[in-house]
């Protein structure tokens, strides 16, 4: 965890565990998570609370009306999720966060949302020695009957997911369309004099979206298929550019070669070959950066919720 954020949470009395922290604020159990690479909300808080869904939405709307900068808010079955950011520095974020948090918790108090000592799922009072459970980075205490119901729903959802058809053909078709968009973008950007991971992002993002849209199953196989097709599309894009380039050179020299024949011939020319190999290397590096980043994101999205223990 960032040193400044670690100190901030420790000063609040939180226990810091790697990139997570746990503690209490104004009578509510709070979990914190820090992910500095998250462009939307690198600092997240989850507040365990119980209130009716309608009132929870009123709370969210009232907090949104405060118009905090670089801030997001959402709800889940265990309470309210808060996301904080600052485009400049952690220091500037920490200058703003205390006042933001004070105002947010004033709204929780205003609506008399139940906090410590109550189940955030059903609102019933909890025994003093209630067990604490961990859901991803969130720690939460809940009623045993609520836990059983949630686990039963998770088990049913996972069973339906496992039994659903993979629809690989439809999914691959969507991935190919996404890769085609990345392929076209690659050629266009290359002709502007750039090689960038942006085109692989385009291919993977659109490919993933269309893979799911066409009925492909959202699992690890999807990641392998979309990533592989995207990589091949970028490399094919480079070959296409150089085949066309070689054809243009051949035409200028009044040589009656096809594009592929011209490419093969000019690969015997040291300058042409060096330029091609350099750009191929750069394409692989930038594509790999884009693919690795997206694989990390996609891996999180396809991970199924296991039973809460």
């Amino acid at each position: 965890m960032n040193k400044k954020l670690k100190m901030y949470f420790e000063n609040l009395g939180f226990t810091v565990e790697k990139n997570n922290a746990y503690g209490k604020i104004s009578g509510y159990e709070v979990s914190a998570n820090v992910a500095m690479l998250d462009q939307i909300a690198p600092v997240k808080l989850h507040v365990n609370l119980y209130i009716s869904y309608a009132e929870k939405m009123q709370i969210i709307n009232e907090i949104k009306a405060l118009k905090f900068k670089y801030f997001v808010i959402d709800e889940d079955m265990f309470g309210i999720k808060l996301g904080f950011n600052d485009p400049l520095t952690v220091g500037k974020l920490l200058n703003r966060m205390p006042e933001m948090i004070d105002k947010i918790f004033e709204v929780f108090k205003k609506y008399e949302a139940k906090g410590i000592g109550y189940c955030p799922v059903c609102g019933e009072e909890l025994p003093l020695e209630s067990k604490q459970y961990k859901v991803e980075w969130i720690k939460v205490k809940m009623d045993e009957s609520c836990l059983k119901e949630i686990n039963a729903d998770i088990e049913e959802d996972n069973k339906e997911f496992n039994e659903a058809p993979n629809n690989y053909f439809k999914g691959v078709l969507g991935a190919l369309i996404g890769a085609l968009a990345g392929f076209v973008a690659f050629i266009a950007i290359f002709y502007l004099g750039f090689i960038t991971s942006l085109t692989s992002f385009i291919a993977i993002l659109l490919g993933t979206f269309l893979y799911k849209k066409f009925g492909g199953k959202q699992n690890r196989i999807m990641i392998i298929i979309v990533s592989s097709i995207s990589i091949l599309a970028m490399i094919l894009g480079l070959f296409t550019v150089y085949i066309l380039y070689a054809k243009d050179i051949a035409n200028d020299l009044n040589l009656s070669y096809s594009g592929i024949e011209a490419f093969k011939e000019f690969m015997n020319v040291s300058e042409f070959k060096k330029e091609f190999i350099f750009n191929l290397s750069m394409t692989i590096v930038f594509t790999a950066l884009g693919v690795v980043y997206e694989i990390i994101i996609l891996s999180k999205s396809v991970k199924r919720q296991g039973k809460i223990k």
Side-chain angles (χ1 to χ4, degrees):
M1 183 181 288
N2 175 279
K3 289 182 180 180
K4 290 183 179 179
L5 287 167
K6 183 174 182 290
M7 185 180 296
Y8 170 74
F9 286 119
E10 286 177 340
N11 289 338
L12 285 177
F14 279 40
T15 300
V16 177
E17 299 174 4
K18 295 183 179 180
N19 287 322
N20 301 322
Y22 306 96
K24 301 173 183 177
I25 299 177
S26 300
Y28 296 93
E29 286 184 327
V30 179
S31 301
N33 172 258
V34 176
M36 298 308 294
L37 293 179
D38 189 326
Q39 299 298 309
I40 304 299
V43 179
K44 302 180 187 68
L45 298 185
H46 184 280
V47 184
N48 301 342
L49 59 80
Y50 175 81
I51 200 165
S52 70
Y53 181 76
E55 289 176 303
K56 190 182 284 187
M57 296 312 297
Q58 288 177 2
I59 286 175
I60 289 175
N61 289 332
E62 189 162 326
I63 292 172
K64 283 181 177 179
L66 296 173
K67 295 183 178 179
F68 295 134
K69 290 182 178 180
Y70 317 114
F71 171 80
V72 291
I73 183 170
D74 201 358
E75 61 84 30
D76 64 14
M77 70 172 73
F78 303 120
I80 299 285
K81 296 183 289 185
L82 310 170
F84 302 86
N85 194 7
D86 191 282
L88 298 177
T89 65
V90 171
K92 287 195 175 291
L93 173 60
L94 289 175
N95 285 337
R96 296 189 297 110
M97 268 183 64
E99 184 181 358
M100 293 168 69
I101 288 173
D102 286 345
K103 290 182 178 180
I104 289 167
F105 278 82
E106 284 175 9
V107 178
F108 296 157
K109 291 291 187 181
K110 173 184 173 181
Y111 283 85
E112 298 181 346
K114 294 180 179 179
I116 294 172
Y118 294 90
C119 173
V121 181
C122 68
E124 293 296 319
E125 192 169 355
L126 293 170
L128 291 176
E129 298 302 321
S130 295
K131 184 178 177 181
Q132 189 175 58
Y133 302 94
K134 191 171 182 179
V135 184
E136 295 182 352
W137 53 272
I138 298 167
K139 287 187 178 181
V140 58
K141 293 179 180 180
M142 72 182 89
D143 186 85
E144 288 294 327
S145 61
C146 291
L147 176 68
K148 289 178 182 177
E149 288 182 16
I150 291 169
N151 279 337
D153 289 340
I154 290 171
E155 189 173 10
E156 182 63 27
D157 287 343
N158 287 337
K159 182 181 177 182
E160 289 180 6
F161 178 82
N162 291 332
E163 292 175 353
N166 288 301
N167 290 329
Y168 289 134
F169 177 78
K170 293 180 179 179
V172 168
L173 181 60
L176 286 170
I177 294 173
L180 178 61
F183 173 84
V184 173
F186 177 90
I187 293 174
I189 292 174
F190 188 89
Y191 271 114
L192 292 175
F194 299 99
I195 296 177
T196 172
S197 57
L198 176 64
T199 53
S200 59
F201 286 145
I202 293 171
I204 294 176
L205 287 173
L206 187 56
T208 301
F209 172 76
L210 293 175
Y211 188 98
K212 294 184 287 186
K213 194 72 173 178
F214 283 26
K217 195 171 182 178
Q218 188 176 344
N219 55 17
R220 296 186 187 279
I221 301 298
M222 176 194 74
I223 298 174
I224 294 170
I225 290 173
V226 174
S227 300
S228 300
I229 290 175
S230 298
I231 291 170
L232 290 174
M234 299 304 100
I235 294 174
L236 181 60
L238 182 74
F239 273 95
T240 300
V241 167
Y242 271 87
I243 287 170
L244 294 173
Y245 178 41
K247 176 63 175 172
D248 287 341
I249 295 174
N251 289 339
D252 290 341
L253 296 174
N254 294 318
L255 298 173
S256 57
Y257 291 144
S258 67
I260 293 177
E261 288 172 340
F263 175 76
K264 289 179 179 178
E265 184 65 29
F266 290 120
M267 279 298 285
N268 295 318
V269 178
S270 177
E271 186 177 344
F272 183 94
K273 184 177 180 179
K274 284 182 180 178
E275 182 183 323
F276 172 76
I277 292 174
F278 174 78
N279 282 324
L280 177 61
S281 301
M282 294 299 292
T283 297
I284 291 172
V285 168
F286 279 104
T287 299
L289 288 173
V291 168
V292 169
Y293 180 80
E294 288 302 321
I295 284 176
I296 293 171
I297 302 299
L298 291 175
S299 295
K300 293 179 181 179
S301 72
V302 302
K303 186 178 180 181
R304 303 294 298 173
Q305 172 68 56
K307 281 187 175 182
I308 301 172
K309 297 179 182 180

